[in-house]
Structure formats: C-alpha cells, structure tokens
Amino acid sequence: MNEAIQIAIGGVLLGSIYAMLALGFSLVYRITGVINLSQGAFCVLAALTMYSLNVTFGMPLFFAALAAIAFTTAIGILIGAFTFVPGMTRLSNSNILMLTLGLLTMINGVMLLIWGSQPYSLPPFSGEAPVVLFGIRVPTQGLWIVGTTLVLILCLWLILFRTNLGKALRACAENPAAARLMGIDVKRMTLLSFGMSALIGAIGGVVVCPIISIEFVTGQEFTISGFIAVTIGGLQSFGGAILGGLALGVLTQMTAGYVSSMFSNGLALGLLLIMLLWRPNGLFAPALRKREDVREAARVQVGIVRLQGRQGWILAAIALLIAILVPHIVSYGMLSSLVITGILFLAVIGLDVLMGWAGQINLGQAGFMAIGGYSAAILVTRYDWTPIPSTLFGMALSLLCAIVLSLVVMRLRGLYLALATLAFGLMIDSMTVGLTEFTGGPSGIVGIPSFAIGSYVFATPTQMYYFVLALIVTIVLLLIGAMRSSFGRALQAVRTDQMAAAALGINVPVHKMAAFAISALLGSLSGSLYAFFFHYLSPEMVGSVRSFELVAMLIIGGEGTLVGSVLGVALLTLLPTIFQPLAAFKTFAEGVLLVFSFLYMPQGLFGTAVIRFNRWTHQAASRITPSVSAVNRGSV
Amino acid sequence: MTRKILEVASLTKVFGGLCAVENVSFDVDEGSITALIGPNGAGKTTMFNLITNVYQRSDGDVLFCDESICDLPANKIAGLGLVRTFQSARVFPGMTTLENVLTGAHLHMLAHPAQQMLWLPKATREERDLVAKADALLDLVNLLAFRDVAATDLPMGAQKLLEVVRALMAQPKLLLLDEPAAGLNDSETEEFAALICAVRNNGISVMVVEHNMSLVMGVADKVLVLDAGRLIAQGTPGDVQNNARVVEAYIGQEFSPQDGD
Ligand SMILES: Nc1ncnc2c1ncn2[C@@H]1O[C@H](COP(=O)(O)OP(=O)(O)OP(=O)(O)O)[C@@H](O)[C@H]1O
Ligand SMILES: [Mg+2]
C-alpha cells in the first residue's frame, strides 16, 4: 500500500511537469491555433543553463534558477519574434507545426554543441531529506514542483481572466481578424503567447531538474509527454490540460512501477491514439463546432513549381548522366555517402507523395523504415530468407500498418494526423528498443548480409549505387506518370481543399490512404536497403529523430516535385561527410535549415531553382499576359 | 411530361436556434434552368449545402433522379451527376488554371492509376484528349490565355468562371451554381448567360443562385424565391416579378440589383 502511494506521488510530481507543459501547449494553441512543439526544448535549455550557472560559475542555486528562467524566456521571445511570428502570417497551420519542430531541432542542436550529450542533474532546492506528511515520505523537491505548478496556474488564470491583456489574448484566440479590427496587436499577442510558453517551459525545467536527469534530447521527450497530456485533457481547456498531465504522470509511473518502463511508453502512446480516435478534442473540452463551410487553412502555400515538358526531360537526362558518371570520380567514402543519400531519398520520395502532394503530415516515416529494416534484418539473419522476399515482407507489413493507421486517423486532419503519425513512430521506436529478443534491443542487429538478387550480390558500394540509382529512376518514372494525370491532380485537390475535391467526385479518404500507402511502401523499402547496406541496424538509425530529419530533407529540397527533395537529402547527408568537423553541427543545421526554408524559401532549394530558371528562360513569363502578371505581383 | 431531376421535400436545417431553411419543397425539371433567389442570408447557400450533403439536414429529404441522396457522401453525390460550385470560388491553390479544369474530369478518367503509372498509351492518349477538351472549354470563357497561370492569381470573376468550367468537365446531369456571375461586368455577364443556356441546351439541368436579376429573369425557366429560410414564391420569371410577397421581401433593397452583394 505504502509503495503504491509512493509511486502515485512520483506520478503526481512527474504529472505536474506534464501539466505545466500541457498548459503551455494549450496557451499557445488557444491564442494562435497552432501547437508549439519547441516547448520541451525550453525546459531543457533552462535546466542546463541553471546547471552551468550553478556548477561552473558558482552562482547560488536559487539565483541560478531565476537567471536561467529569465535567460530562457528572453531567448524564447527572440526566437519567437524572428521565426514564429513571421511564420504565423504566411504559413498554414500544419507548416507552423513543422516550423516549431524545426525550432525544437535547432535548440537541441545548440544544446548538443554547448553541453554535449551527457546527462546532468542538480541537487534539490531544499536539501535531500524528505519531509514526512501524514506518514508519507515526500521529497522536498516535490513540494517545490507542486507549489510552482499551483502558483503558475493561478497566475495564468489571473492574467487571462482578470486583466485587459488577458481579454486581448482571448480575443485573438476567438477571432484574430476581428481582434485586429478592434485594434489589438495580434502579432504582439502571438509573440507574448510564445514567450509565455517558453517561460512556463523554463520554470518547469528548472524545478524538475533535481528529480530527473536532463540531457539535450530530453526536450523531445518533454514535448511529447506534454503533448500527450494536452491531447488527453483537451487543447481547449486549461483544467483539462492540468488533469491530463496529472493523469498521464500517475499512469506512466504506475505502469513503470508495476509492469515495466518499456510498457509505460507504449501505454502513453496507445492512450494518445485512443484519445485521438475517440475524442479528438480531449476529455474535458466540448467538441468545438466550427462553421463547416469555412476553408480550414487560408494560408496554404501556393508556389507552383513546373518545368515545361521538354526542358524537364533534357535536364533530367543531364542529371542522370552525371549520376551515372559520378562513381568514377568520387572517393570510396563519398560513394558510400551517395548510396545512403539514394536510400534515404527513397523514403523521402514517399514522404513527398504524402506531404507534398496529398498534404498530409507524416512525422513517423522512420517508423516504416524501421518496419522494413527490422523485417529484412530479422528474416535474413534469423530465418535464412533471401533479401528480396524479406524486403517484400517488410513492405507488406508496412502496408498493413499504413492501412490500419490511416483508418484510425481518417477523420483527423493536419495537426492530429501529424500527432498520430508521431505517436506511431514513437511506438515503433519503443518496440525496437524494447523487444530485445527480436530486435537485439538498443545494440541492434549485426551481420546482415549485402543485398542480392538471386545469386548476384551487391557487395560493393559501386554495385549498390547503381542498383539504388536504377530503383530511384524506375520509381520516379512510375510516380511522375501517376502524378501528372488524374491521380496526382486528385491528391493535390485533397491537399488544398477537401470539400471542393469531394464535390468533384474525388474520394478523399481513399486518396489519402493511397498516398499514405505509397509513402509507407517506399519508407519500408528504404529501411530494408539501409539495413542491407550497413550490414547492421540499431534503433536510433530508424528512430524518430530520423523521421524529423526526413521531413527536414523534404522541406529543404522542395515539396511536391518528387525529385527536388534529393537536394535536401544530399545536403544533409553529404555535407557532414565532406566537412568532417561540421558533423557535430548536423542537428543544429537541420533545424536552422528547416526553419529558414519555411520562412524564406517555401518552395525549397529545387523549387527556388526552377522558378529562377523559368524566369531566366522567359518560358513561363511569355505565356502570362501583362494583366495577370500584374495581379500576380499584387497578390504575392 | 418532363421528368423531375431533383425533388426537395420539406427540407429543414436548424443551426443552434436559427432556422436557416424551413420546410422547403420544390422540384427541378430535367433540362431546365431554375433560379434560386432571395435577399442575403435567406438560406440559398445553405440549401445547396443541404442538397450536396455538406450539411446534415435536420429534416426532410432530397431525391436526385428518384433516389434519396441525403445520406450519401459528397463524392458519391457528384458521382451520380450532381455537381456544384461554391459561393467563394474554391479553385485549388497550387495548381494552374488548366490543371484545375482537368481535375474536374476526375470522375470520367478511364485509365486506372496503375496504367497512368506505367505511361501506357491508353492513359497518355486519354490525357491528351482531356487537355484538348479543357482548352476548348477555357477558350469558350476566354480564359485560354491564362491556362498555365496559378489559378489563385486570376481575378475573382475569372476564378468563378473557372469553377463553372471545372464543374462542366465532370459532365453533370444537374449543375448547381452559387452566384457564378458575381465579379463579372455587364458584357461578361451576358456572355455568361449565353453559356448557361448553351449548357442547358446540351441536356444539363442547371440550378443557379444569383443576385443579378436581369440574368435571372433572362435565362431562368423557373424562379424560386427564398426569404428567411422559407420558400415564399415559385413560378415563371413573370409570375415571380409580380408577386406581392416577393416585392415585400425585397423592400429596403433595390428590386433589381445589377450586381450581387
Ligand atoms: N454553418 C453555419 N452555422 C451557423 N449558421 C449558419 C451556417 N451557415 C449558414 N448559417 C446561417 O444561415 C443563414 C443563411 O445563410 P446562407 O449562407 O445560406 O445565406 P445566403 O442566402 O446564401 O446568403 P448570401 O446571399 O449572402 O450568400 C444565415 O443567417 C447564416 O448566418
Ligand atoms: Mg450564399
């Protein structure tokens, strides 16, 4: 009994942190309509700053805490002002979601550079000795955590519901356009909400640091847990967010205590999926009724990237020729990187069909890579299958998962779909780590043979290079065939306006599912080849960080073009190989490039290049009569 | 006797406390042009949304070709041959004018996506024929010069025309148009009237919501008048124009506004 209470108390403490994070999520969501995934990073930033101030610079703990909170909030406001606020005016909500993902990656990258990847922890604020309340031992830090949470909730409530500022904030949440007309500075309110969420995150990070050790990736975990909490409770309700956080904390601690911690992750994610399915608006929020005839995302990105027919083929032929000649001029190490580029590109092509064409966000693409990779690795090493059937098996399994998952998320859109795929990726993550007897756990599977067709073995990077190249050319040709005709048009219609698409007889769910299936199949294929090429597979090679990386590659290269993303893949894969010293900057660079692309180069490297090229050749321009190009300039 | 293509039977829609459409019944004859008019907020768009099941009805029934379509998803309704346009032109952003029009033909693509993937001659040929057809239609509404321009860069009036053309590509039996002429000038409106008549003469029934009375009175075979969710009059343009209740409903408004909104 006593043990149960102790565990429950642990749960409440953990839950308080989740509740704080959930509050931050809910705050930003209610004021701006988007989820700020970067919030967990502010937690960790504050905690690590406090550590440095206290341990390295000898500042007393209490002052270090205050200074860390102030510093983190200032950084948050700065980042918000230069990324989040401008993003809000020109990006669709789902792109903002990915922008904040970029921010999360970016801050993680900075922290990795400054603090390295080791864990840190600090002593409790008021000594180690626990206090005894009603015969139950409570660590003093627990009182700090619960107390801070309560004060925070009270302050937030007072600000929002008892001040004019709060009224303005809530007006932005209700109707930004009307708020603007009433003279409310919506941009400042957006910034304020972002800053407040950074502040909440920072406070959470500082008080929790003494009870859990913190490292640079903890931010991700915080974001995810806070997010699950707020989904359970309901994005629209502060009370719900708090209860959701507490419930999640207690539940995960209970399962961790009585079953296993591996299971507790799975439980949290399962809970998230069930909630998304059963009550996407959360337990405590009434289903919000929106006028259904209002278009959901007014700020959809509209850049059109088209190469005129013949030019496209000529450029493609030149590119192919270069690709064929490349192995003869580059070094051995470089060639391996090129093969990896090609293999990852396969996964990104799939992602492009889903995100760039059908407009559905997938933050769990590496989950499919994992299914493909582990199926192949296990079947080949353990059951003596040959590479091709085992790859096909992985693809079939991925297809099955994609169909089930898309049935689950069918009714969800944008935000929630992104989250469901994130949850899927994380679930696969925890399975690859946890199912040790199958996957080898964290140390992975070794001794995977090279890929082979019959008795022909693709043993050298050169052989593998040409094989992957042939595969890419075939797949791209097939997909271009589909995308330039009715299937591709239907996907694009679904992407931008589902209601108008349905009114033309397009079966929206079926098209979403088809795009998801293509994405999963290619992800799985890529994962299998990855395993065969490395002869080795471990969970972090196909983990959630990889999923984020694939999204970054796609956005940086250019969405909706099938081939453009190769530039993003190449940039992020080859640069660290060419400039070894830069390897440490990889995470940071990924984040920065992702954010930069969203804000300043929404068509990506490829799209921007094509638009420049078209302008240069005057091909497109000559077709546009003066009146329309004037309209053009006016509206862009 | 002409067949009824659309029968609306005591259709009702309540939003919260507001009755946007109240117990409305009417028919649309096959091969006719029916106009639905009424002051702003009368419930015209809501009526279209009910017919195409964008909104769930509160009560009543809608029969299309003698079949109830009230519980069908929007894409099935389009598949039966009932295609609509939207009041706020909903062209697809990120696609050119031509691609927008081609999207309209989705229902009638014979080549399977797998055949398109393999670049089979059948698929390629079909695609080429479609483009020719789309070009012809765009030419008809003077938009051919803009075929490779982003559709969202067109002026509003052109976007609405584009939407009509896109709907025509779906080869509907009944076409529902929500204020298609909003944003067109007088001569363009006249051309548009001719287009609607041509569409009808090709055997496609048309139901149109429009504020432009000269357009309505010029082309409609039958006019339905909606006010505050209730059908207050129906008949030939002549009947309706002389109907006292209709005049009353429009009091405070100019009876023949030349341009909607
Ligand atoms: N989704 C909705 N939720 C709540 N009320 C709605 C909704 N859609 C329409 N209404 C209300 O129903 C009434 C009828 O609206 P509707 O858009 O059908 O008018 P309309 O006749 O098309 O007007 P207009 O000529 O301005 O287009 C209005 O009072 C409107 O506010
Ligand atoms: Mg209307």
Side-chain angles (χ1 to χ4, degrees):
Chain A
M1 186 57 212
N2 205 11
E3 188 197 349
I5 291 175
Q6 290 298 344
I7 291 179
I9 288 176
V12 169
L13 297 188
L14 200 61
S16 301
I17 296 304
Y18 296 162
M20 277 194 229
L21 285 161
L23 265 182
F25 276 117
S26 178
L27 182 74
V28 176
Y29 181 79
R30 286 178 62 166
I31 290 165
T32 62
V34 298
I35 294 279
N36 170 20
L37 290 180
S38 69
Q39 211 197 342
F42 291 110
C43 269
V44 177
L45 181 61
L48 293 180
T49 308
M50 175 165 87
Y51 177 89
S52 286
L53 290 176
N54 178 245
V55 174
T56 316
F57 297 103
M59 216 187 248
L61 204 55
F62 184 69
F63 291 107
L66 288 185
I69 291 171
F71 172 75
T72 306
T73 312
I75 296 277
I77 290 176
L78 219 64
I79 290 179
F82 285 103
T83 58
F84 190 70
V85 174
M88 280 303 296
T89 59
R90 44 188 130 132
L91 299 177
S92 67
N93 283 357
S94 30
N95 283 356
I96 294 269
L97 181 79
M98 288 193 284
L99 181 85
T100 62
L101 181 69
L103 292 178
L104 175 70
T105 314
M106 186 177 92
I107 303 171
N108 275 349
V110 174
M111 294 192 296
L112 176 65
L113 285 174
I114 299 177
W115 284 282
S117 55
Q118 68 270 35
Y120 292 86
S121 70
L122 277 166
F125 294 179
S126 336
E128 301 283 354
V131 288
V132 179
L133 287 177
F134 312 112
I136 301 159
R137 287 147 48 90
V138 183
T140 50
Q141 193 61 27
L143 299 180
W144 275 101
I145 292 175
V146 173
T148 316
T149 312
L150 290 178
V151 171
L152 206 62
I153 292 168
L154 189 69
C155 290
L156 208 58
W157 184 81
L158 282 177
I159 291 175
L160 277 180
F161 294 98
R162 286 288 176 273
T163 62
N164 277 335
L165 179 67
K167 215 180 269 174
L169 282 169
R170 281 182 295 137
C172 291
E174 288 298 327
N175 188 340
R180 196 171 297 122
L181 291 178
M182 300 298 292
I184 295 171
D185 186 344
V186 175
K187 277 189 183 164
R188 182 177 307 157
M189 295 301 143
T190 307
L191 182 57
L192 195 66
S193 70
F194 192 85
M196 276 164 82
S197 87
L199 174 68
I200 295 173
I203 294 175
V206 162
V207 293
V208 80
C209 188
I211 63 164
I212 34 182
S213 70
I214 300 252
E215 55 188 300
F216 82 104
V217 282
T218 317
Q220 224 139 285
E221 289 155 28
F222 277 156
T223 288
I224 289 158
S225 306
F227 189 75
I228 295 176
V230 82
T231 316
I232 296 173
L235 278 165
Q236 292 288 343
S237 125
F238 286 146
I242 294 160
L243 288 177
L246 292 177
L248 182 68
V250 172
L251 219 68
T252 49
Q253 284 300 60
M254 286 284 183
T255 25
Y258 288 109
V259 193
S260 97
S261 63
M262 140 76 199
F263 197 69
S264 86
N265 277 340
L267 182 90
L269 297 165
L271 206 63
L272 176 64
L273 279 179
I274 291 171
M275 283 307 301
L276 284 174
L277 243 190
W278 175 50
R279 283 199 66 163
N281 287 311
L283 275 183
F284 303 99
L288 199 73
R289 293 187 66 92
K290 242 179 143 186
R291 280 188 69 137
E292 300 155 73
D293 52 343
V294 178
R295 231 189 279 195
E296 287 188 33
R299 291 160 289 159
V300 257
Q301 168 192 328
V302 291
I304 296 188
V305 178
R306 301 277 189 283
L307 273 172
Q308 304 301 325
R310 183 164 304 148
Q311 279 172 358
W313 289 118
I314 294 173
L315 290 179
I318 296 173
L320 185 61
L321 197 67
I322 295 175
I324 289 174
L325 294 178
V326 147
H328 302 290
I329 37 181
V330 298
S331 68
Y332 186 86
M334 189 66 189
L335 191 60
S336 291
S337 296
L338 282 174
V339 176
I340 296 168
T341 303
I343 291 175
L344 292 180
F345 180 42
L346 285 172
V348 178
I349 297 176
L351 206 54
D352 195 13
V353 171
L354 184 62
M355 289 179 47
W357 294 80
Q360 309 296 309
I361 297 184
N362 177 0
L363 297 179
Q365 178 73 337
F368 294 108
M369 279 183 78
I371 295 178
Y374 275 100
S375 301
I378 293 169
L379 290 173
V380 169
T381 56
R382 209 77 59 74
Y383 299 93
D384 294 326
W385 284 37
T386 51
I388 289 187
S390 61
T391 304
L392 291 179
F393 179 86
M395 288 170 79
L397 198 58
S398 292
L399 186 64
L400 191 71
C401 288
I403 290 173
V404 171
L405 196 63
S406 66
L407 286 177
V408 169
V409 301
M410 194 57 75
R411 296 178 306 136
L412 313 177
R413 212 192 124 84
L415 189 76
Y416 288 115
L417 176 69
L419 298 174
T421 55
L422 180 67
F424 165 76
L426 292 167
M427 208 125 102
I428 299 286
D429 260 12
S430 61
M431 276 164 74
T432 53
V433 179
L435 295 176
T436 321
E437 60 272 36
F438 270 108
T439 62
S443 49
I445 297 178
V446 291
I448 305 169
S450 292
F451 191 77
I453 298 178
S455 59
Y456 188 85
V457 183
F458 297 90
T460 66
T462 316
Q463 286 168 319
M464 199 62 184
Y465 177 86
Y466 284 115
F467 174 64
V468 172
L469 183 63
L471 211 54
I472 288 174
V473 170
T474 317
I475 287 171
V476 166
L477 277 179
L478 289 177
L479 287 177
I480 289 181
M483 293 304 153
R484 64 179 199 126
S485 42
S486 69
F487 182 66
R489 287 192 294 266
L491 291 188
Q492 277 178 291
V494 168
R495 169 194 170 116
T496 50
D497 195 335
Q498 303 195 4
M499 193 190 287
L504 292 171
I506 295 169
N507 190 332
V508 176
V510 163
H511 279 84
K512 281 194 206 170
M513 196 191 272
F516 203 31
I518 292 177
S519 170
L521 286 174
L522 289 179
S524 179
L525 174 64
S526 157
S528 301
L529 293 177
Y530 204 64
F532 285 123
F533 183 65
F534 270 96
H535 306 302
Y536 163 69
L537 191 64
S538 70
E540 84 273 358
M541 287 162 74
V542 285
S544 283
V545 176
R546 172 74 73 196
S547 290
F548 301 165
E549 189 181 81
L550 294 174
V551 171
M553 289 167 168
L554 173 64
I555 304 295
I556 293 165
E559 282 186 280
T561 56
L562 290 181
V563 291
S565 52
V566 74
L567 297 178
V569 185
L571 190 71
L572 289 182
T573 315
L574 299 184
L575 268 192
T577 321
I578 300 173
F579 305 107
Q580 281 296 342
L582 287 186
F585 288 86
K586 191 167 176 250
T587 317
F588 174 65
E590 247 170 58
V592 171
L593 285 173
L594 186 59
V595 171
F596 179 86
S597 299
F598 267 128
L599 289 178
Y600 303 107
M601 228 171 42
Q603 283 91 11
L605 286 171
F606 181 79
T608 310
V610 168
I611 289 171
R612 286 273 158 79
F613 178 79
N614 278 339
R615 212 172 284 160
W616 179 59
T617 55
H618 291 281
Q619 261 277 325
S622 68
R623 290 235 176 87
I624 305 174
T625 65
S627 71
V628 169
S629 52
V631 174
N632 240 332
R633 233 153 275 138
S635 68
V636 175
Chain B
M1 201 195 111
T2 49
R3 228 163 61 97
K4 311 256 172 262
I5 191 155
L6 183 75
E7 292 163 69
V8 171
S10 33
L11 202 56
T12 300
K13 176 69 190 181
V14 184
F15 288 117
L18 175 88
C19 210
V21 167
E22 194 178 343
N23 198 13
V24 171
S25 309
F26 63 85
D27 308 322
V28 173
D29 290 337
E30 190 165 21
S32 75
I33 298 179
T34 306
L36 178 61
I37 64 170
N40 289 121
K44 306 179 295 293
T45 301
T46 305
M47 178 65 75
F48 274 15
N49 283 337
L50 289 174
I51 293 173
T52 52
N53 202 13
V54 169
Y55 292 160
Q56 191 74 44
R57 71 197 191 282
S58 306
D59 196 18
D61 202 4
V62 178
L63 302 180
F64 179 67
C65 298
D66 303 323
E67 229 185 293
S68 173
I69 54 169
C70 266
D71 299 314
L72 294 181
N75 64 304
K76 287 264 169 58
I77 293 177
L80 290 177
L82 199 168
V83 179
R84 66 171 295 184
T85 68
F86 294 87
Q87 182 167 355
S88 52
R90 297 177 86 138
V91 301
F92 298 117
M95 295 170 90
T96 64
T97 303
L98 177 69
E99 288 166 343
N100 259 283
V101 177
L102 292 175
T103 311
H106 182 84
L107 281 169
H108 302 283
M109 297 298 288
L110 297 174
H112 191 264
Q115 292 170 319
Q116 298 169 354
M117 273 186 147
L118 295 170
W119 300 72
L120 292 190
K122 180 183 171 193
T124 320
R125 209 178 317 118
E126 182 180 26
E127 190 74 13
R128 208 178 316 121
D129 295 346
L130 262 188
V131 171
K133 189 174 164 196
D135 281 346
L137 275 174
L138 281 173
D139 199 20
L140 203 64
V141 292
N142 296 325
L143 286 178
L144 190 56
F146 306 121
R147 81 197 274 269
D148 294 324
V149 168
T152 38
D153 287 343
L154 295 176
M156 203 48 176
Q159 290 193 25
K160 304 217 67 165
L161 281 182
L162 172 58
E163 228 197 330
V164 175
V165 170
R166 187 175 73 185
L168 283 175
M169 284 295 274
Q171 302 172 17
K173 290 183 193 147
L174 172 62
L175 185 58
L176 304 185
L177 303 174
D178 199 345
E179 300 192 17
L184 298 185
N185 64 27
D186 285 352
S187 69
E188 286 166 339
T189 307
E190 255 165 56
E191 279 178 41
F192 184 72
L195 175 70
I196 294 191
C197 291
V199 166
R200 187 239 342 248
N201 296 342
N202 272 305
I204 298 174
S205 319
V206 180
M207 184 168 171
V208 55
V209 166
E210 194 40 73
H211 283 294
N212 186 325
M213 287 305 149
S214 61
L215 174 64
V216 168
M217 297 307 165
V219 301
D221 301 308
K222 176 171 163 188
V223 179
L224 306 168
V225 188
L226 214 54
D227 182 33
R230 266 177 304 236
L231 191 64
I232 56 168
Q234 55 176 322
T236 63
D239 293 345
V240 167
Q241 247 162 338
N242 300 323
N243 185 309
R245 286 185 69 190
V246 177
V247 177
E248 192 186 324
Y250 272 94
I251 278 178
Q253 302 202 349
E254 205 184 335
F255 184 57
S256 310
Q258 278 310 296
D259 219 324
D261 294 359

